[in-house]
């Protein structure tokens, strides 16, 4: 039997483009061992099918058919591609999917703003994208405050990502009208494994990883994989900001022709730094900027707002008023998951499949955000009822000495305790195959259920610190009478973003969704139609602070303010909401290598935790009229696509092109904008083209993904009162939505050496919806090289951001020349804040596949 070593030893981009080595090739394999003949056939298929269009789709589909025969836009990212390109963040992984827009710069642990096909992000997170692990959601809602779906998942060796954009995602998943991204685990179908070690050459981080699996008997197999990481990370804070591990395992017991039963286990305990917006000097013109230069003392490519002087955060308990110190761990998810799958094929065309998972999840989010303020605007202002007379260093080697700098970082210092984000999920489906009207029909009915807990405590402090990219010191304010107005740089506890941001809540959101899907196929024609009805039951409570529970007094000799929770703000949550979805598609196979498809879909998503304490409920917890209109956002899509594979001489290729049109309408609330929060009434439309392609000829291979998006704002009303919203920017392009996105990754293999380059680019885009102030087009260049110096042993070198360019990643705030100039200029250049791309990162690794 061919081992996994033979496949993993060619862990290079060229190998990936021939097809993923460890992909789950079918949702329900009957025979557990893989024979030599099956392995040989699979290898031959990969050679003839660079885009792997014969891979059976297991995500957001009710029928086990290949990508070529599915009326869906599907992308597969195998372990070989990730091994070759070695992305350092979740954002870098997801950008390999056509149509996906992930505003990165948030760090290796997640907290990204993820969207697809021109759908906007009004508040944050991934509102229209569901991230799954082995067919079940990691969390029920993709954009929960301090609980986004990318917090709880990590890509490791032997994973395969399968992404379905639009189409049946509206019917076969909840809250995913934009896309479903499924992290599919290897199940030991191919025996073997890998063990490896990698580390930063120009930064401090070391990661060890492994994967192994095989058949233990004819009807029993297992797989296990994991990693451990430790180091300071891409931006050095002076302590180990990366520290954690993940362990995953599964075991499959075959039941002969009756099917199989599979058990899953996962443990994630990780701490990863959070990177947010940082200052840069902007080469600005009246309608847009052409580039960036480093801010003096804070290089946005390498700087961070966290260091040894704020490694621990002072947290004031919102109930007792007790002060304690918490580790600034960045993004700290702790998750234990236990799952099972039962797949039965009793005969007569009947299939029963049930997936179950119980997950315990908790953790914390901590970070110092960035807000640029002139020191001259602080001196003379009123803080805690006193006039600020001077600024001194609060800690560090200059503690107690006067601060004479021009700029201060007054960004909030945030610690959120994620008490419970656990869930119970189950998806039961029953399929029946039969003949009808000269063709074959597969009718699938199912019931999805998920109970999502959302329990958190927020602690946002008003904080002052130096504007330095390495170990920023805290700054204390002193009144004109000599009174200290801050403690370790904190002037007020639990009051940043407004009193409503000092909040505690405990919510149970139970979603039940019956669905029905029918697929009919006759000869070259295939028709697919499905419906779904989601019903959400929300119970719980939420409380915040108020002026009545905000006081100013002495703590540690400093006159500071603090806020506690106010029981009079208690909001009961006890309501039900629902929406229906549909999807219909048709496919015509022109021949064995080409198919065309069309599809329409209509889906929705619930707004839950982001809408609490917003005035959307009655005293008994039911939704009022305004709340009933705001709880559901809706998306409609139309698609037309073609899939083709072929050969020109020795060049083999595969391509998938999809033309799409999306419309969206939503209402939402964001309490972090403005003193009392901001209400949104939004509408957008987008037309675009996704092109995914792969080429191979001898030792040459190339991945080429291109997305073009033409998006427009159809409604953009916002304000502090939901009854009096102000509309602006209608007809403009949405902020941070580029017209062009592309990934070009050529490589060449000679003997045991493979070298390649990857270009990740984006076109011009507006950084502000109203002003349409534009960011320039950008391209990141990454280098990868792999040398198999012994059979199974590979040495790898990856260089990210090869030319160490300072790039804004399409984002800059404020969004107009006048607002950029409001904070003054340095060397004639105004100052802006943006989520900059990390600087050059060199990674050296070695692994052995067996």
């Amino acid at each position: 039997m061919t081992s996994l070593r033979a496949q993993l030893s060619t862990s290079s981009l060229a190998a990936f483009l021939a097809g993923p080595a460890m992909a789950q090739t079918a949702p329900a394999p009957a025979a557990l061992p893989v024979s030599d003949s099956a392995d040989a056939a699979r290898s031959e298929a990969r050679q003839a099918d660079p885009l792997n269009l014969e891979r059976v789709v297991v995500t957001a589909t009710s029928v086990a058919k290949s990508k070529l025969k599915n009326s869906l836009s599907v992308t597969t990212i195998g372990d070989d591609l990730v091994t070759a390109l070695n992305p350092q963040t979740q954002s870098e992984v997801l950008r390999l999917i056509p149509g996906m827009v992930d505003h990165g710069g948030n760090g290796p642990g997640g907290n990204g703003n993820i969207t697809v096909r021109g759908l906007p992000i009004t508040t944050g997170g991934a509102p229209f994208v569901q991230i799954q692990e082995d067919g079940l959601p990691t969390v029920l809602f993709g954009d929960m405050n301090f609980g986004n779906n990318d917090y709880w998942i990590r890509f490791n060796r032997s994973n395969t990502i399968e992404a379905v954009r639009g189409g049946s995602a509206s019917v076969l998943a909840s809250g995913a009208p934009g896309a479903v991204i499924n992290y599919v685990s290897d199940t030991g179908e191919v025996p073997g494994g890998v063990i490896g070690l990698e580390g930063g050459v120009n930064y401090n981080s070391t990661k060890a990883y492994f994967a192994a699996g095989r058949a233990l008997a004819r009807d029993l197999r297992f797989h296990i994989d994991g990693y451990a990481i430790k180091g300071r990370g891409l931006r050095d804070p002076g302590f180990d900001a990366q520290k954690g591990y993940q362990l995953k395992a599964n075991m499959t017991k075959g039941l002969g022709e009756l099917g199989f039963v599979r058990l899953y286990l996962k443990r994630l305990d990780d701490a990863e730094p959070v990177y947010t917006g940082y200052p840069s000097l902007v080469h600005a013109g009246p309608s847009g900027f052409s580039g960036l230069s480093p801010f003096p003392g804070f290089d946005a490519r390498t700087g961070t707002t966290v260091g040894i002087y704020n490694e621990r955060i002072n947290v004031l308990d919102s109930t007792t008023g007790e002060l304690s110190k918490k580790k600034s761990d960045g993004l700290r998810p702790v998750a234990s998951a236990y799952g099972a799958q039962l797949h039965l094929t009793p005969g007569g065309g009947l299939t029963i499949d049930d997936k179950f998972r119980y997950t315990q999840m908790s953790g914390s989010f901590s970070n110092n955000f960035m807000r640029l303020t002139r020191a001259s605007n602080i001196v003379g202002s009123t803080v805690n009822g006193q006039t600020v007379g001077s600024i001194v260093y609060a800690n560090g080697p200059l503690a107690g000495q006067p601060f004479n700098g021009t700029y201060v970082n007054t960004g909030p210092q945030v610690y959120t305790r994620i008490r419970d984000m656990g869930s119970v999920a189950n998806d039961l489906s029953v399929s029946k195959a039969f003949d009808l009207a000269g063709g074959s029909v597969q009718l699938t009915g199912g019931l999805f259920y998920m109970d999502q807990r959302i329990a958190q405590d927020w602690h946002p402090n008003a904080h002052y610190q130096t504007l330095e990219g390495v170990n920023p010191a805290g700054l204390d304010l002193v009144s004109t009478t000599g009174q200290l107005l801050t403690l370790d740089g904190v002037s007020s506890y639990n009051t940043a973003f407004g009193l409503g941001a000092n909040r505690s809540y405990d919510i149970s959101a139970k979603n039940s969704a019956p669905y029905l899907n029918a697929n009919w196929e006759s000869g070259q024609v295939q028709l697919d139609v499905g419906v779904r009805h989601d019903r959400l039951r929300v119970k719980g409570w939420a409380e915040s602070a108020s002026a009545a529970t905000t006081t100013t007094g002495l703590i540690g000799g400093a006159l500071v303010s603090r806020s506690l929770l106010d029981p009079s703000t208690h909001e009961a949550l006890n309501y039900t909401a629902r929406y229906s979805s549909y999807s219909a598609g048709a496919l015509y196979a022109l021949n064995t290598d080409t198919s065309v498809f069309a599809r329409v879909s209509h889906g929705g998503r619930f707004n839950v935790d982001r809408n609490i304490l917003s005035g959307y409920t009655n005293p008994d917890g039911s939704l009022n009229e305004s709340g009933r209109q705001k709880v559901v956002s809706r998306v409609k899509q139309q698609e037309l696509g073609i899939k083709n594979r072929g050969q020109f001489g020795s060049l083999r290729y595969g391509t998938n092109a999809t033309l799409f049109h999306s419309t969206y309408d939503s209402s939402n609330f964001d309490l972090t904008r403005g003193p009392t929060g901001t209400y949104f009434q939004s509408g957008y439309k987008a037309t675009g083209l996704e092109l995914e392609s792969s080429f191979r000829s001898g030792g040459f291979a190339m991945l080429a993904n291109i997305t073009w998006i033409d998006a427009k704002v159809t409604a953009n009303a916002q304000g502090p009162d939901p009854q009096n919203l102000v509309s602006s920017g209608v007809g403009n392009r949405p902020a941070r939505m580029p017209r062009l996105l592309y990934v070009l990754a050529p490589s060449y293999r000679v003997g045991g050496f493979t070298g390649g380059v990857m270009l990740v680019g984006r076109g011009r885009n507006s950084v502000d919806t109203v002003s349409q102030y534009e960011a320039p087009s950008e391209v990141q260049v990454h280098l990868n090289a792999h040398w198999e110096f012994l059979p199974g042993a590979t040495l790898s070198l990856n260089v990210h951001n090869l030319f160490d360019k300072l790039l804004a990643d399409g984002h800059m705030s404020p969004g107009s020349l006048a607002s950029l100039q409001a904070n003054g200029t340095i060397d004639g250049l105004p100052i802006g804040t943006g989520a900059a791309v990390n600087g050059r990162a060199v990674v050296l690794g070695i692994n052995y596949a067996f």
Side-chain angles (χ1 to χ4, degrees), residues 56-71:
V56 174
V57 180
V58 300
T59 302
T61 181
S62 62
V63 183
K65 294 185 178 180
S66 69
K67 293 199 288 185
L68 186 65
K69 294 184 178 180
N70 249 301
S71 55

Side-chain angles (χ1 to χ4, degrees), residues 50 160 167 191 257 480 555 580:
T160 296
E257 295 183 356
T480 53
I555 298 180
S580 296

Side-chain angles (χ1 to χ4, degrees), residues 711-757:
K712 289 288 185 294
V713 178
T714 58
N716 186 42
Q718 52 184 277
D721 185 342
Q723 305 304 322
N724 296 286
L725 303 184
V726 177
S727 183
S728 60
V730 175
N732 289 346
R733 186 170 185 80
R736 303 175 65 186
M737 189 62 64
R739 287 182 173 85
L740 180 67
L741 296 161
Y742 61 88
V743 175
L744 303 176
S747 71
Y748 197 82
R749 180 177 179 86
V750 179
F753 177 81
T754 301
V757 64

Side-chain angles (χ1 to χ4, degrees), residues 316 321 384 491-493 495 499 545-555 559-564:
L316 185 87
N384 296 327
S491 63
S492 61
Y493 294 95
T495 63
L499 297 178
S546 70
T549 54
T550 301
T551 59
T552 300
L554 291 175
I555 298 180
L559 184 67
V560 297
S561 61
R562 65 177 192 170
S563 72
L564 303 178

Side-chain angles (χ1 to χ4, degrees), residues 179-190:
V180 174
I181 302 172
N182 188 15
Y183 286 59
V184 182
S185 300
D186 181 41
T187 60
E189 186 180 357
V190 178

Side-chain angles (χ1 to χ4, degrees), residues 618-656:
N618 297 311
D620 63 356
S622 62
L623 292 172
N624 56 30
E625 180 61 29
S626 181
R628 285 192 292 272
Q629 296 175 5
K630 308 297 191 297
V631 74
V632 176
S633 301
R634 303 180 187 278
V635 173
K636 296 180 181 179
Q637 291 191 72
Q638 299 86 43
E639 305 169 62
L640 184 64
I642 182 170
K643 304 174 186 181
N644 174 249
R645 62 186 175 190
Q647 184 171 350
F648 290 107
S650 64
L651 179 69
R652 297 183 177 91
Y653 72 90
T655 186
N656 180 7

Side-chain angles (χ1 to χ4, degrees), residues 354-437:
D354 187 68
K355 299 184 184 75
F356 168 83
R357 188 180 64 230
Y358 168 70
T359 307
Q360 297 171 314
M361 297 197 304
S362 59
S364 63
F365 177 99
S366 52
N367 190 50
N368 273 73
F369 288 88
M370 173 63 69
R371 181 186 297 147
L372 198 70
T373 305
R374 294 179 70 89
S376 58
N377 293 335
I378 299 173
V379 176
S381 67
T382 300
V383 174
N384 296 327
Q386 304 288 314
T387 301
V388 178
S390 62
I391 305 173
V392 299
Y393 287 91
N395 45 38
L398 300 177
Q401 297 185 31
F403 172 77
N404 297 314
T406 304
Y407 295 96
V408 173
N409 177 14
T410 61
Q413 185 184 69
V414 174
Y415 180 86
T416 296
R417 179 189 171 201
I418 306 172
R419 299 199 313 272
D420 191 350
M421 293 288 288
S423 62
V424 176
N426 195 86
D427 195 348
L428 171 65
S429 65
V430 179
S431 298
K432 173 68 174 177
F434 55 91
D435 295 332
L436 178 68

